[in-house]
Amino acid sequence: MWNSIVPEHLATHNYENWRIWMKNYLLAHDLWDIVEETTETPNPKQAEFKEWKKKNAAALHAIHISCSLDVFLKIKEIDSAGLCWNALADITVECIPKPEPEPQPILQSEKENVYLKFRPLCLAIENGDCEAVKEFLKNRPEAVREKLTNFGDTALHLAAFNGNVKVVEELVELMKEEDLEILNNNNETALNIAAGSGILRLAECMINKNKKLACVTGTTHIPVIVACSKGHRDMTCFLYSVTPLDFLRPEAGAFGSLFLHEAIGNYFFDIALDLVQHCPLLAITRNHLGTTPLIEFSCLTSLFPASCRLSFWQRWIYSCINVHQLASSRDVRIYIPQNGRKEDGNFLKRGLNQLRSLGSKLLELSGIKQVYDLKLIHTQALQLLDCICDGAISTLDDSKVEEYGIYEAYFIAIQNGIIEIVTKIIKAHPPVLIVKELASNKNILLTAVMFRQEKVFSIVYGLDTRKNLLLLGRDNDRNNMLHMAAMLAPPHRLARISGAALQMQRELQWYKEVESILKPSYKEYVNKFGVKPPQMFTNTHKDLVTEGEKWMKETATSCTVVGALIITIMFTAAFTVPGGNIQETGYPMFLHEKAFKVFIIADAISLFSSSTSVLMFLGILTSRYSEDDFLKSLPTKLIIGLSTLFFSIATMMVAFCATLILMLEGELNLIIPLVLLASIPVTLFIFLQFPLLVEIFISTYGPGIFDRKSKYLHK
C-alpha cells in the first residue's frame, strides 16, 4: 500500500527495495546518523540525550509506519532506531524462503532407463512375491520411496492396488512415516488406493505406521470419503474412527459435508447419524459439488415410507415388523476389529450357523427379509432426519435459512413428494410454509399441484387461516392453482398409473379436487397468455384423451371377442347336455345327479355374465369419449365388463369340471388332474387382469387420493 514515506510497506519479499527507500528518506530528514551510529541508548544524564531522543523517536516512527503489521509486531518492543534497523535485516532474511533449485528436465530415454531399473520390483509386487520384493529392496533400499511408473506410483501404491497384504506390510515396515504420504500423479496416497480396495488390513498397517495419514489432503477425497463412495462399510468405519472430528467440521472445509453426502447415499445411517450428532451444521454445509447433504437427502424418495409403494401383503408384513432405532449414545468412532476366530471344532456352533443361514435364505425367498430391510432403512432415515431438523435447522437464524439451502431442500422434497421432509422442515422453521420458490414464485401448494404430489397437497386440509394465503398464490406467468391442475402431469407421475384412460381419470380427479376448494371465480381467471383453466385443461390433455380412447377401445375389443366366444360355447352346451337325453321322455339322462345341476347352473350363469360383459364392452366402444366420461362413466363400464367376464370364465370352468365328474364317474385319478388343469385359465386371469380390475375400482370408488383428514403437521 502506498504511503508518504515508502511506496510499499515492508514485507518478507521486498526488503532490498524497502531498505533503499527508507534510507533515502532518513537521509533527507537528517535522521540517518541516528540509525547508523547508535548501537545503544545514550546516558540520559548527557547533554545531547534530549536531541538524540527526539531524532530517535522520529526515525523509529518512520520505520514503524513503513512496516506491514506482521513485521511491526516483531519489532514493536525495540526502542532504539538503530537496533530496530539491524533487527529488520535479520527478520526478513529469516522469513524469505530459499529458492528451490529448478528441476532439470529428464530426457525420455533417461525416464525409460529409470523405469527399466525398477521393473523387477514392479513385477515382484504384481505377482505378490514378498521374498523377491525383500531381496530387491535389500540391494536397493532407496527404491522403497521412488516413483516406479509413468503414473508416479511408488512400490506401496502398486502393492495397495494389487491388494497384496504381505507385500504392503513389508513395505510399510521399511518406510519412514513421511514416505507413506508420497502422492502419485493423481494426487493419491497409497492409503487412498487401499481405501478404495476395501481390504481392511492394508489400511490398518498404514495407519499404525502414520496416524496423520488419514488427513493427507492431496486430493479432494480423503481416504474415508474414498472408502465410503465405494460402499466399503468396514473400511469406512475404521477410517472414520481414525479421522479427527475437527478435520470433518465445516470450519475445516467441505470434507465433512462430502463424507456425510456419501454416507447417506450408501445408507450408512449409523455413521451419518453419529457425524450429524457431533457436527449438526454438516448436514446443511455446501460441498465442492455446490450442494448439501440435506438437499441430496431430499432427492432419495426410497428412504421414506410415504413414497414407497408396497403390495397388500407387504404392507401387512411392514406394519407387523418391529425395528429398533439406532442408539443415540452409540459412538461408531470407537472401532472394534472383528476377530476371525475359527469355530470348526465346535459342532454345535457350526450347526447353529447353518440353521441361521438356512433361516435367512428362507426369509429372503419369502420376501420378509426385503420388507424388514426396507423398514430398517426407513426407520434410520427418519431418525437421521429428526437429528438434522432438531440439531441444525431449528437453531438457524432466519437470515441464514436460505443461505444454507433449506428452501432448496424444501422445494425438492415437495417435488418428490417426501412428506416427511416437508413436514419436519415446516415444524423446525414454520415461516417456510408460506415461502415461495425464487425462480418460479410458486408456493408449497402450487408446486404440489404441478408435480401431482397428493400427500403434500393434503396438508392444505389441516391448515388454519394460512390456507387462504396459499390458495391465492400465482406464479410468474400468473397461473393460479387451477391452472396448475389443468397442466399435464409430469411423465414420471403418469407412468405410475396403468393405461392412458386411468391416467386421464387421475388428471380429472386432480382438477376437480382443486376446483372444489377454490372460489368459482377462479375458473374465469386468465394467465399471462390469456388462457382460462378449463381451456388449458382441454389443450394440454388432448393427446391423453386420444390415447385413453384408443386404450379403452382396444381393451373392449379384445374382451368382446372372448365374451362372444364364451356365449357361443355356453349356449351350445345347454342343449348338448352330458350323456344326452332319454329317447322316450326327452329329459337328460343325468337330470337327477347333483353334478348335472351344478353343470346347468354354472352354464346359465356363465352365459348370462358373458352376455352382460359383451354388452358393457359394446357400450365402451360406442361411447362419445368426452373428457368427463373418463371420470366415472367409462371406468364403471370397464369394471362391470371385466368383473362379469372373469365370473363367466370361472363358471365356465365349473361347468366343465361338473361334466368331467359325470362322464368319468369314480375315475379320480383322471378327474383330479383335469380339474387342476381347468383352474389354470382362472388363475392366469387373476394374476394378469385382476390387479387392473382392483386398481380401476379403487381409483373410481375408493377413498380417493386426497386425505381430507390430513394431520401431517400434527404428528
Side-chain angles (χ1 to χ4, degrees), residues 326-382:
L326 294 169
S328 58
S329 60
R330 178 187 177 190
D331 194 346
V332 297
R333 294 183 59 78
I334 303 175
Y335 176 74
I336 302 175
Q338 302 294 326
N339 295 324
R341 294 180 302 173
K342 295 184 179 180
E343 300 177 346
D344 295 340
N346 193 324
F347 177 78
L348 180 59
K349 287 185 177 180
R350 282 188 290 135
L352 289 174
N353 287 337
Q354 290 178 356
L355 287 175
R356 191 180 298 113
S357 177
L358 179 60
S360 177
K361 290 181 179 178
L362 289 175
L363 288 175
E364 188 171 351
L365 290 173
S366 64
I368 296 176
K369 186 178 183 300
Q370 288 84 343
V371 177
Y372 175 84
D373 292 340
L374 183 65
K375 187 165 186 178
L376 180 63
I377 290 172
H378 291 168
T379 304
Q380 293 178 349
L382 290 173

Side-chain angles (χ1 to χ4, degrees), residues 561-590:
V561 173
V562 176
L565 184 60
I566 294 174
I567 291 173
T568 304
I569 294 171
M570 292 296 99
F571 186 83
T572 306
F575 297 98
T576 55
V577 295
N581 301 319
I582 301 173
Q583 296 295 328
E584 293 79 9
T585 61
Y587 296 122
M589 290 181 61
F590 302 112

Side-chain angles (χ1 to χ4, degrees), residues 686-707:
I686 291 174
F687 278 105
L688 297 177
Q689 299 297 330
F690 197 69
L692 175 62
L693 178 60
V694 173
E695 183 178 354
I696 299 171
F697 183 83
I698 293 176
S699 178
T700 307
Y701 295 103
I705 59 174
F706 304 99
D707 185 6

Side-chain angles (χ1 to χ4, degrees), residues 61 89 99 181 321 329 338 360 405 436 464 499 507 551 569 668:
H61 174 70
E181 300 178 11
I321 291 176
S329 60
Q338 302 294 326
S360 177
K436 294 182 179 180
D464 45 24
E507 289 291 272
W551 184 84
I569 294 171
L668 292 179

